[in-house]
Amino acid sequence: MNTDPAPAPAIAVTPAVDPAVADRRVIVALDFDDRRAAETLVERLGDACGSYKIGLELLVSAGPGLVRDLVERGHEVFLDLKLFEIPNSVAGAVRAAGALGASMVTVHAMGGTGIMSAAVEAAREFPRLRVLALTVVTSMTGSDLADIGVDAGTEEQVLRLARLAVGAGCDGVVASPREAGVLRELLGPDRLVVTPGVTLGPEAEDGAQDDEAAEGRAGVKGRRGAVGFGGTAGGHARPGTPRAAFAAGASHVVVGRSAAGRRTHWRRCGGWCGPLGDPCG
């Protein structure tokens, strides 16, 4: 029996922002608690950025109108809801995200096949909406997984949940930059691998510790020794640089607001997402 993951469905996305200016592989996180601060960053970046992430904090404080406005301006919106509810509620939230014009929405893979399948089915009404399964949040380590009864290292658990996501029909997964390589091997070329936890500077480069020692557990050996991976930064236990994430197989990276606000990096790296030969992170 062929157990290879089925190819993800083709999704046509018509860019409204000039793709020569804005590379949509870089998603800037609008992690603010008010709309004015978020809009200030959007205005500062201008055409350099084509995609933004809106999480629960900004959605609750600013309301869904900001999502609609960004979509109307030609931006793609990654609505990071991390849905973990009964299937009917998840399906309703996904339909609401699609009606707003979101391009991506997240559902917790830890919720199992039922809620992921419900999300995928609900998204069929919205051809541009991609359902992403969140595997292991980037702040978690193997010790955290042990606390909730998961007897696996982070990489092993990420791969386990990614297989469930494929079976449920999800368009891709969310994981840290460190798992991008093994996920690309597992998922093939078509599915999305979206990586938060992207940072610049030594905090993402100088940690050469092995995951077994850093997490205090035996298990699957991590990849902190690779160039561009290591350390901890910004609440992310498993960070990496943009260049390392893309080279490993990520389709998208999520950039924190503090780094994205330094416009010089966008100019230097062609919007952070220029050719991998550039010194992008």
Side-chain angles (χ1 to χ4, degrees):
M1 180 182 296
N2 183 6
T3 58
D4 292 339
I11 299 175
V13 178
T14 303
V17 176
D18 185 354
V21 178
D23 192 324
R24 295 170 185 270
R25 295 181 298 164
V26 171
I27 304 169
V28 171
L30 297 178
D31 292 333
F32 298 97
D33 60 5
D34 71 273
R35 177 168 179 155
R36 179 175 296 180
E39 289 185 329
T40 296
L41 179 57
V42 173
E43 291 169 4
R44 182 182 305 157
L45 294 177
D47 287 339
C49 178
S51 302
Y52 291 97
K53 178 181 83 72
I54 292 179
L56 291 174
E57 181 181 23
L58 185 58
L59 184 66
V60 171
S61 63
L66 178 59
V67 179
R68 293 193 191 95
D69 290 349
L70 288 173
V71 171
E72 289 174 0
R73 295 179 209 173
H75 298 293
E76 291 190 355
V77 175
F78 170 22
L79 203 49
D80 191 17
L81 301 182
K82 299 181 175 70
L83 297 169
F84 197 151
E85 251 285 6
I86 63 173
N88 283 346
S89 295
V90 168
V94 169
R95 282 191 289 270
L100 289 174
S103 298
M104 301 177 184
V105 64
T106 48
V107 59
H108 258 291
M110 287 282 283
T113 301
I115 70 169
M116 288 190 285
S117 297
V120 170
E121 186 61 31
R124 294 189 195 282
E125 302 174 31
F126 307 94
R128 296 181 68 250
L129 179 61
R130 292 157 284 186
V131 175
L132 304 178
L134 172 61
T135 56
V136 177
V137 295
T138 57
S139 62
M140 295 188 77
T141 66
S143 296
D144 297 317
L145 291 176
D147 287 343
I148 60 173
V150 177
D151 188 18
T154 50
E155 184 177 290
E156 181 182 352
Q157 181 68 356
V158 165
L159 292 175
R160 175 185 295 162
L161 294 173
R163 292 185 186 98
L164 281 181
V166 168
C170 292
D171 298 296
V173 299
V174 178
S176 86
R178 297 185 191 171
E179 293 97 37
V182 291
L183 283 169
R184 183 55 65 204
E185 292 174 11
L186 173 70
L187 301 179
D190 297 323
R191 278 190 165 82
L192 303 183
V193 176
V194 179
T195 59
V198 165
T199 61
L200 288 180
E203 69 271 19
E205 295 174 352
D206 61 5
Q209 301 175 69
D210 166 323
D211 272 345
E212 293 176 25
E215 296 178 0
R217 299 175 48 79
V220 179
K221 186 174 180 180
R223 288 166 170 72
R224 290 194 186 187
V227 174
F229 298 107
T232 59
H236 300 287
R238 310 185 322 272
T241 64
R243 182 176 180 181
F246 282 127
S251 61
H252 299 73
V253 299
V254 181
V255 177
R257 70 187 189 197
S258 59
R262 290 181 283 176
R263 191 177 177 91
T264 54
H265 288 301
W266 288 80
R267 290 172 178 164
R268 177 168 61 89
C269 301
W272 278 45
C273 227
L276 291 179
D278 288 350
C280 191

